[in-house]
Amino acid sequence: MEQTISKEDIIAAHERIAPFIHRTPLLHSSTIDMLCGCEVHFKCENFQKIGAFKIRGATNAILKLSEKERELGVATHSSGNHAQAVAKAARDLGIPAYIVMPRTAPPVKIAAVKGYGGIVITCEPNQLARESTLDGLVKETGATIIHPYDNYDVIAGQGSAIKEVFEDEAEFDAVFTPVGGGGLLAGTALTTHYLSPHTKVYAGEPEGADDAFRSLKAGSIQPSENPDTIADGLLTSLGQRNFPIIQEHVAAIFTVSEQEIINAMRLIYERMKIVIEPSCAVPLAALLKEKGRFEGQKVAIILTGGNVSLDKLPF
Amino acid sequence: MEQTISKEDIIAAHERIAPFIHRTPLLHSSTIDMLCGCEVHFKCENFQKIGAFKIRGATNAILKLSEKERELGVATHSSGNHAQAVAKAARDLGIPAYIVMPRTAPPVKIAAVKGYGGIVITCEPNQLARESTLDGLVKETGATIIHPYDNYDVIAGQGSAIKEVFEDEAEFDAVFTPVGGGGLLAGTALTTHYLSPHTKVYAGEPEGADDAFRSLKAGSIQPSENPDTIADGLLTSLGQRNFPIIQEHVAAIFTVSEQEIINAMRLIYERMKIVIEPSCAVPLAALLKEKGRFEGQKVAIILTGGNVSLDKLPF
């Protein structure tokens, strides 16, 4: 595969976004080590600005815009962490962010985007309405669309999380992330390929949203169809730019059941005393399920975010 | 008042226990600063070993025993964090820990004590049964009772938490802790008096368990009568050794309602993405209620622990 993001791109992305993000800690629990039969280090992006790693990619993409592009602002459609990330990154640069959100989005999420200064445009709750509303908006304003994952600058920005892990600790045998659209996974896989080539990259995916697992098996992108999982950050299909990177640099994707996700989530709350969103628990669930393969190894897991509705915890 | 714990006692306690405890981080949230109108630093004892600051005092008290006393072991009655702290500290030194627990204690708490190697003796769920069972046990085994708070070595050990805060950050105007039996509050107040004398010490207390507030007002220990609060670590009455220290060195105790405690707890989960037990939220609730007094100040809050039943979160 022709390399579309170079080592230098990832290093430059990290330098570019560093003033706008937190350098999050790497945490560790001896109980979880014991349960996994290996040494596990958790990269805590739940402590990141806006409560999720998404600020990394969005900030990198927006910082790479020209002066003229910046003036016209940025736009996206999202009801999740990417919406907050684009709003926050745009505000940091003093430019407008237009966020298309379904009118059924939880009021607390709409309020969060507005809290970061985002201009929210609501639409009917379906993909067609989201895309046509966004298109109309872009025609009207000239804003640049910042895609949540199918964007090389976003992928390079997400790669900065594992770069920090490798700076804090060396000699990892394996790295785990969750996989939704594949922004974090592709960024992590490429960064690992460049900076720690002997380290293998794995993803955990919910059985109820296993399009990446099926795509790897089929050798082509398989769409996510009626995904159903508590890991609500992982519902989307893989991006066009993400898939070839994942195909080349990811060793395996493991699927896990809803109960396995909930158990892993509870373990992190109880033993690490930190708040994570369900999507975060998927890689630990995969590691616990496949622990025979990783015995005695040194493993990093990226905990992607902490934006969970406390009223809806599954325990 | 004749000083019963010296500055040197507190410094020695910290050195003594350092190999057996975590040095916990001081965290910070710009949203919480904004809401409080001051700069707030949280000492995260929820990340401490056994999930609470109690390991500090128990470890100091046990390390101060003679060789002969250690051989005979230690004992206490507790259904909370102190039980786990004594069991864990005793195991670290290879000595037996006898823990009297009411037979109605949650199985998960009994399992946790046993998990740390504690020898659990169950009794009827009332104070008389707890004390008589403990007395019988001590007569039989010769074990030394480690009181959860009414013990100078425990108080000196608890003081080490705020000592670490002062080592990490300087120039605090105010320090807040919760108050139950007064071990942490007395240790914090004395340590602050010695190490940062211009810093004022405050406590938060639930309205439903306001014995310390009433005791300060009356000038003598007022017992806790039928306490009723979600902050289940703060139900006990002040200790004989704790009260005079608190009387001399604590500037004020503020009481807060159940709803104020729950709101502060939720704020910490949502904004700091960490898991705390309800007792921890009481000082922040007090600061939010009294924020007019602390405008623009630099404040430290000790988050005491993270051992909460996730099935019973109040949101």
Side-chain angles (χ1 to χ4, degrees):
Chain A
M1 191 189 75
E2 194 199 341
Q3 213 52 263
T4 43
I5 302 176
S6 69
K7 181 177 175 179
E8 289 65 37
D9 289 336
I10 290 168
I11 292 168
H14 193 209
E15 280 176 12
R16 192 176 292 121
I17 68 176
F20 300 97
I21 63 168
H22 287 311
R23 180 154 187 134
T24 54
L26 208 52
L27 296 186
H28 177 258
S29 153
S30 40
T31 305
I32 292 180
D33 282 0
M34 201 184 63
L35 292 171
C36 291
C38 58
E39 183 185 325
V40 191
H41 296 261
F42 292 91
K43 175 68 169 170
C44 292
E45 290 291 295
N46 55 324
F47 296 153
Q48 187 51 268
K49 295 203 182 198
I50 71 116
F53 74 95
K54 295 267 181 181
I55 191 70
R56 294 176 182 267
T59 302
N60 189 47
I62 295 176
L63 284 168
K64 285 199 72 183
L65 299 179
S66 69
E67 272 303 314
K68 196 181 167 77
E69 286 170 324
R70 285 194 198 179
E71 265 172 36
L72 298 173
V74 290
T76 196
H77 65 78
S78 164
S79 55
N81 290 330
H82 180 64
Q84 294 183 48
V86 169
K88 169 76 164 68
R91 191 182 61 179
D92 284 347
L93 296 176
I95 68 175
Y98 306 96
I99 315 289
V100 175
M101 300 182 82
R103 60 172 174 72
T104 51
V108 60
K109 295 212 167 186
I110 295 179
V113 171
K114 288 184 176 170
Y116 289 117
I119 301 156
V120 174
I121 300 95
T122 53
C123 69
E124 289 305 300
N126 61 67
Q127 192 66 15
L128 191 66
R130 287 166 69 145
E131 287 174 6
S132 66
T133 307
L134 182 60
D135 285 346
L137 192 73
V138 165
K139 279 200 190 98
E140 197 186 315
T141 60
T144 303
I145 294 178
I146 307 293
H147 193 279
Y149 49 86
D150 198 0
N151 173 317
Y152 288 128
D153 296 322
V154 169
I155 295 171
Q158 316 302 29
S160 62
I162 197 70
K163 179 170 176 285
E164 293 177 4
V165 173
F166 294 146
E167 288 165 1
D168 290 353
E169 281 274 340
E171 300 299 324
F172 282 96
D173 299 293
V175 164
F176 278 74
T177 77
V179 57
L184 180 67
L185 180 56
T188 301
L190 267 184
T191 306
T192 303
H193 168 68
Y194 292 132
L195 302 182
S196 183
H198 68 282
T199 305
K200 290 192 171 171
V201 177
Y202 300 88
E205 193 174 36
E207 285 171 4
D210 67 346
D211 60 290
F213 174 79
R214 288 185 289 107
S215 301
L216 269 195
K217 207 167 167 181
S220 63
I221 297 178
Q222 303 298 306
S224 185
E225 279 166 358
N226 305 315
D228 183 17
T229 170
I230 188 179
D232 57 1
L234 308 179
L235 301 176
T236 46
S237 307
L238 284 179
Q240 298 292 338
R241 293 168 183 76
N242 311 74
F243 180 60
I245 299 172
I246 291 169
Q247 231 181 348
E248 187 171 352
H249 297 293
V250 171
I253 295 179
F254 304 117
T255 60
V256 290
S257 70
E258 294 299 288
Q259 194 56 53
E260 287 164 338
I261 297 170
I262 292 169
N263 293 348
M265 185 176 172
R266 185 168 187 136
L267 192 61
I268 289 173
Y269 275 64
E270 289 187 338
R271 291 299 172 162
M272 302 187 62
K273 311 292 183 194
I274 60 175
V275 172
I276 57 162
E277 52 195 52
S279 308
C280 285
V282 173
L284 177 60
L287 177 59
L288 281 164
K289 190 173 193 172
E290 303 289 337
K291 66 180 183 178
R293 302 179 183 225
F294 298 94
E295 208 177 324
Q297 294 195 7
K298 184 169 178 180
V299 178
I301 289 180
I302 300 184
L303 293 179
T304 47
N307 293 332
V308 63
S309 187
L310 292 174
D311 312 291
K312 292 181 185 161
L313 289 178
F315 34 72
Chain B
M1 189 189 77
E2 194 198 343
Q3 212 51 264
T4 43
I5 301 175
S6 69
K7 181 176 175 180
E8 290 64 38
D9 288 337
I10 289 167
I11 292 169
H14 193 208
E15 280 176 12
R16 192 177 291 123
I17 67 176
F20 301 98
I21 62 168
H22 288 310
R23 181 154 185 134
T24 53
L26 208 52
L27 296 186
H28 178 257
S29 154
S30 40
T31 304
I32 292 179
D33 281 1
M34 201 185 62
L35 292 171
C36 292
C38 58
E39 183 185 325
V40 191
H41 297 262
F42 293 91
K43 174 68 169 171
C44 291
E45 290 290 295
N46 55 326
F47 296 154
Q48 188 50 271
K49 297 206 181 195
I50 72 115
F53 74 94
K54 294 267 182 180
I55 191 70
R56 295 176 181 266
T59 302
N60 189 47
I62 295 176
L63 283 169
K64 284 200 71 182
L65 298 179
S66 69
E67 271 304 313
K68 196 180 168 78
E69 285 170 324
R70 286 195 198 178
E71 263 172 36
L72 299 173
V74 290
T76 198
H77 65 77
S78 164
S79 55
N81 290 331
H82 180 64
Q84 294 182 48
V86 169
K88 169 75 163 67
R91 191 182 63 180
D92 284 346
L93 297 176
I95 69 175
Y98 307 96
I99 315 289
V100 175
M101 300 182 82
R103 62 173 173 70
T104 51
V108 61
K109 295 213 167 186
I110 295 179
V113 171
K114 288 183 177 172
Y116 289 117
I119 301 155
V120 174
I121 299 95
T122 52
C123 69
E124 290 305 300
N126 62 66
Q127 192 66 14
L128 190 68
R130 286 166 71 146
E131 287 174 6
S132 66
T133 306
L134 181 60
D135 285 346
L137 191 75
V138 165
K139 280 201 188 98
E140 198 187 313
T141 60
T144 303
I145 294 177
I146 307 293
H147 194 279
Y149 50 86
D150 198 1
N151 174 317
Y152 288 128
D153 296 322
V154 169
I155 294 171
Q158 316 302 30
S160 63
I162 197 70
K163 178 170 176 286
E164 292 177 5
V165 173
F166 293 146
E167 287 165 2
D168 289 353
E169 281 275 339
E171 299 301 322
F172 283 97
D173 299 292
V175 163
F176 277 74
T177 76
V179 56
L184 179 67
L185 180 56
T188 301
L190 267 184
T191 306
T192 303
H193 167 67
Y194 291 133
L195 303 182
S196 184
H198 68 284
T199 306
K200 289 191 172 174
V201 177
Y202 300 87
E205 193 175 35
E207 285 170 4
D210 67 345
D211 59 290
F213 174 79
R214 287 185 289 108
S215 301
L216 269 196
K217 206 167 166 182
S220 62
I221 297 179
Q222 302 298 306
S224 185
E225 278 166 358
N226 305 315
D228 183 16
T229 170
I230 189 179
D232 57 1
L234 308 180
L235 301 177
T236 45
S237 306
L238 284 179
Q240 297 292 338
R241 291 168 185 76
N242 311 74
F243 179 60
I245 299 171
I246 291 169
Q247 232 180 347
E248 187 170 352
H249 297 294
V250 172
I253 295 179
F254 303 117
T255 59
V256 289
S257 71
E258 293 301 286
Q259 194 55 53
E260 287 165 337
I261 296 170
I262 293 169
N263 293 349
M265 185 176 172
R266 185 169 186 136
L267 192 61
I268 289 174
Y269 275 64
E270 288 187 338
R271 291 299 172 163
M272 303 187 61
K273 311 294 183 192
I274 61 175
V275 172
I276 58 160
E277 51 195 53
S279 307
C280 285
V282 173
L284 177 59
L287 177 58
L288 282 164
K289 190 173 192 171
E290 303 288 336
K291 65 180 181 176
R293 301 181 183 224
F294 298 94
E295 209 177 323
Q297 295 196 6
K298 184 168 177 181
V299 178
I301 289 180
I302 300 184
L303 293 178
T304 48
N307 294 332
V308 63
S309 188
L310 292 174
D311 313 291
K312 292 181 187 160
L313 290 178
F315 33 72

